[in-house]
Amino acid sequence: MNALAATNRNFRLASRLLGLDSKLEKSLLIPFREIKVECTIPKDDGTIASFVGFRVQHDNARGPMKGGIRYHPEVEPDEVNALAQLMTWKTAVANIPYGGAKGGIGCDPSKLSISELERLTRVFTQKIHDLIGIHTDVPAPDMGTGPQTMAWILDEYSKFHGYSPAVVTGKPIDLGGSLGRDAATGRGVMFGTEALLNEHGKSISGQRFVIQGFGNVGSWAAKLISEQGGKIVAVSDISGAIKNKDGIDIESLLNYTKEHRGVKGFDGAHPIDANSILVEDCDILIPAALGGVINRENANEIKAKFIIEAANHPTDPDADEILSKKGVVILPDIYANSGGVTVSYFEWVQNIQGFMWEEEKVNDELKTYMNRGFKDMKEMCKTHSCDLRMGAFTLGVNRVARATVLRGWGA
C-alpha cells in the first residue's frame, strides 16, 4: 500500500471512530489547492533546462498551511498529497495553528551547481509567491533543500511583498532562523520516547536502541538519547550498517560521519548487513529514514518492544496488524516526528513578534508541547479504545473537523 492509500485508510478509520458524516469526511480529504508550474532556467553552460515545480495545499481550517519543499528527481504526486495531508493531522496533533502542505521540484540537486539551484529556487518562488505567505502557506526545508534554499525563497518573496522573514521557516540564524531548529525533530523524538517509556514505568537510561537512518533526525536522536543514558547498539545509513552490543560511542561516530560522510568503516563497531538493521535485537527501534521499511516481510522478525516512527510512514498497515498482535507498541509518525514543525512554529512566532528566544526557551517549550501532545493522544486512545496511531489520527482529525464546522465550511 502506498503512502497516500495508507494515509487515506487511517483517516477513514479515524473518521468512523469519530462518527463524522460523509460530506464532512469528503471535504476534509480533498486538497484546498494543487499547484503545478514550469520552472525554466539557463544552466551554467548556456543551455536551457525546464523543471516541474509543485505545491499541494491540503487544509487551512486551523491556520496557514505548513510543509516542506523537496528537491528530488522522483517527485511522486501521490506521495506529496499524502505528506500534505499528514501535515494537516500532524499540526493538529501538536496543537499548533497550522494546516498541511507539501511541495517541491522534480530535479536532482546533486547534478546542479549552487548558482543553478539558486536560479531554480528563485524562478519557482516567482511562480508561487502569490500563493504562499505569512498567513497563507509557510514553506520549510525537506529532502534536498536546506537553510540556504529558504534564504533564497525569503529574498525572492521579499522583492514582491517587502521583507517577510516569517514566510519560510528553517532559515539560517542570521536571517531570523530559530536556535534549536536543527535539532528539533530529533529532540522531539527523544521527548516522545521519554513520554512513552514513562507511561510503561521505564526510562531511556539503560534501554537498547537501534536507529535506521543517521541523517539530521537519526543523528540528533542518537546523540540526545545517548546523553540520557540510552545505549545505541546499531545504526545504519546510506553507506552501510554497524553494530556494537555494548553500545556505540555516538560522539565519536558523529565526528567520524562528518569526515567520512557515512557510518561505514567506523572502528568502534563491526559492520552488519544493512537489510538486517530493523530485526536486530533491541528494546526500542527508531526508523528515521524512508517510508514503508517495516512491512509484512519483516514485521514478524522484529524483536523491539517499542517502535518510534521518526520517519514519515515507515510502517505499512499490514505490518501494523502483525506488530499489534505481537504486543509491539508503535509511537506514530504524526506525533513522534512533530518536533520539527513545532519549532518551525516557534520560529514563525519569533519572526512575527520580531523577538528571538534563547535556545533553552525553545527546548523547554518543545518539551511542553510534546508532553501535552502525548497526554492528549492517550486521552483519545481511552475514549475510543484504540492504539496510539488511531489515538493520534482521531485527535488530529477531530481538531480539524471541529475548526471546519465552526468556520461554517462543513456543508
Side-chain angles (χ1 to χ4, degrees), residues 9-281:
R9 174 185 178 274
N10 287 328
F11 166 76
R12 288 203 166 91
L13 287 170
S15 173
R16 253 171 246 146
L17 283 173
L18 293 164
L20 302 185
D21 71 54
S22 58
K23 278 184 185 172
L24 180 57
E25 185 180 294
K26 190 179 174 188
S27 77
L28 290 176
L29 260 190
I30 297 168
F32 169 77
R33 184 192 281 139
E34 293 186 33
I35 304 149
K36 190 173 179 183
V37 294
E38 185 185 24
C39 301
T40 303
I41 59 159
K43 295 190 77 179
D44 294 346
D45 63 6
T47 60
I48 298 293
S50 274
F51 303 89
V52 177
F54 59 90
R55 187 80 175 157
V56 175
Q57 298 174 328
H58 180 258
D59 191 279
N60 62 355
R62 299 182 68 255
M65 292 162 285
K66 185 92 192 75
I69 286 180
R70 57 176 51 185
Y71 289 1
H72 193 269
E74 290 163 28
V75 168
E76 212 272 299
D78 273 3
E79 188 185 23
V80 177
N81 256 301
L83 293 171
Q85 188 192 139
L86 268 180
M87 284 302 293
T88 297
W89 317 135
K90 188 185 293 185
T91 51
V93 169
N95 209 12
I96 54 180
Y98 286 143
K102 207 75 171 182
I105 299 173
C107 68
D108 185 346
S110 68
K111 292 182 177 161
L112 295 171
S113 69
I114 297 293
S115 59
E116 286 168 346
L117 283 168
E118 179 177 352
R119 286 196 288 276
L120 182 57
T121 303
R122 288 182 183 278
V123 168
F124 182 49
T125 308
Q126 288 163 19
K127 296 285 179 91
I128 66 165
H129 74 89
D130 274 335
L131 303 168
I132 61 170
I134 297 166
H135 301 294
T136 311
D137 177 3
V138 182
D142 201 295
M143 218 187 291
T145 59
Q148 180 59 71
T149 322
M150 298 304 108
W152 292 328
I153 294 173
L154 161 59
D155 182 66
E156 198 62 31
Y157 180 87
S158 296
K159 290 175 185 175
F160 297 95
H161 302 274
Y163 186 60
S164 314
V167 73
V168 286
T169 59
K171 299 181 294 294
I173 301 293
D174 294 338
L175 287 176
S178 177
L179 295 170
R181 175 65 187 88
D182 192 43
T185 310
R187 193 177 296 277
V189 166
M190 186 269 286
F191 287 145
T193 304
E194 205 171 43
L196 179 65
L197 292 175
N198 288 347
E199 180 82 13
H200 288 82
K202 301 173 191 287
S203 70
I204 285 176
S205 184
Q207 299 292 325
R208 295 168 307 135
F209 290 80
V210 165
I211 301 178
Q212 185 206 31
F214 206 66
N216 173 276
V217 180
S219 61
W220 273 109
K223 176 180 162 62
L224 296 164
I225 284 165
S226 65
E227 284 171 5
Q228 296 286 318
K231 192 192 282 188
I232 317 292
V233 295
V235 165
S236 74
D237 68 6
I238 200 159
S239 71
I242 54 170
K243 180 183 180 180
N244 181 340
K245 63 179 173 49
D246 299 321
I248 296 166
D249 180 341
I250 295 300
E251 273 305 318
S252 300
L253 180 59
L254 286 166
N255 291 331
Y256 179 87
T257 54
K258 269 182 202 140
E259 200 181 322
H260 297 87
R261 298 183 147 240
V263 301
K264 190 180 181 183
F266 177 65
D267 60 9
H270 64 268
I272 57 168
D273 178 7
N275 294 323
S276 74
I277 190 84
L278 298 166
V279 299
E280 288 296 328
D281 188 27

Side-chain angles (χ1 to χ4, degrees), residues 187 191 342-343 346 357-371:
R187 193 177 296 277
F191 287 145
T342 303
V343 175
F346 299 161
W357 301 353
E358 295 296 328
E359 189 165 356
E360 190 182 355
K361 178 176 168 68
V362 173
N363 295 341
D364 288 348
E365 289 288 342
L366 176 59
K367 186 170 188 175
T368 301
Y369 271 76
M370 292 302 294
N371 287 344

